[in-house]
């Protein structure tokens, strides 16, 4: 291997040097190519393909070099925390806006819907808590959502776009704007 390496070393150095913007790293990458080739020599199928194999190792080492150098800056922790609290706050506001309408639903739909949408319980937990089959709980939650949507549409004018709800205003004097809080 050593004599074969000596035959290709100068050409490999030139190949690596042309592809790097850091001349100090050329010898490091060349050494890495030698170590990988020596360690994985058993993977080489035919001696005639040694040159191409060495160039492939060199190419991969160059790609690894650039991947490691990609500049990145970790996000400050407060940004991730802020997103989470903003998202959670929006969910809570939505839940409070919908609570009065959900409370007007018949009990068999109200309870599963409150558990799913306001308390964030899984459908299996809801089924177990209410003594229902999983499909029965899913059905009641789905029917509750349909009834809630019908109530909401009767009570409020909703303007939507592809990105979601843009505006919501009460239709009737009996409806309060708290139903439309998230608009």
């Amino acid at each position: 291997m050593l004599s074969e390496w000596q035959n290709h070393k100068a050409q490999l150095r030139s190949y690596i040097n042309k592809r790097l913007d850091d001349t100090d790293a050329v010898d490091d990458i060349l050494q890495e190519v030698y170590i990988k080739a020596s360690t994985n020599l058993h993977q080489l199928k035919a001696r005639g393909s040694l040159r191409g194999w060495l160039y492939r190792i060199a190419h991969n080492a160059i790609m690894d070099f650039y991947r490691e150098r990609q500049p990145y800056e970790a996000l400050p922790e407060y940004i991730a925390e802020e997103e989470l609290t903003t998202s959670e706050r929006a969910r809570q506001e939505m839940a409070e806006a919908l609570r009065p309408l959900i409370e007007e639903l018949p009990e068999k739909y109200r309870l599963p819907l409150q558990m799913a949408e306001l308390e964030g319980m899984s459908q299996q937990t809801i089924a177990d808590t209410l003594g229902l089959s999983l499909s029965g709980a899913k059905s009641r939650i789905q029917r509750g959502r349909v009834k809630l949507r019908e109530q909401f549409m009767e009570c409020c004018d909703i303007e939507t776009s592809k990105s979601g709800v843009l505006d919501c205003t009460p239709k009737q004097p009996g409806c309060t704007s708290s139903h439309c809080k998230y608009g």
Side-chain angles (χ1 to χ4, degrees), residues 18 22 29-30 32 35 38 49 77 92 121 151:
K18 288 177 184 176
D22 183 355
I29 290 179
L30 190 62
E32 187 178 327
I35 292 169
S38 298
S49 61
E77 286 185 32
Q92 288 173 350
M121 294 172 70
Q151 275 187 306

Side-chain angles (χ1 to χ4, degrees), residues 112-129:
L113 194 59
Q114 282 176 330
M115 292 173 162
E117 302 299 337
L118 303 181
E119 297 170 24
M121 294 172 70
S122 72
Q123 292 180 345
Q124 183 63 59
T125 304
I126 294 168
D128 295 342
T129 303

Side-chain angles (χ1 to χ4, degrees), residues 94-107 109-118 144-145 147-148 151-152 179:
M94 173 67 86
E96 289 309 310
L98 294 177
R99 188 176 301 277
L101 289 174
I102 291 174
E103 288 174 358
E104 294 174 12
L105 294 174
E107 184 176 340
Y109 302 121
R110 182 183 74 236
L111 289 176
L113 194 59
Q114 282 176 330
M115 292 173 162
E117 302 299 337
L118 303 181
R145 287 176 180 156
K147 290 188 174 298
L148 178 65
Q151 275 187 306
F152 205 69
H179 299 138

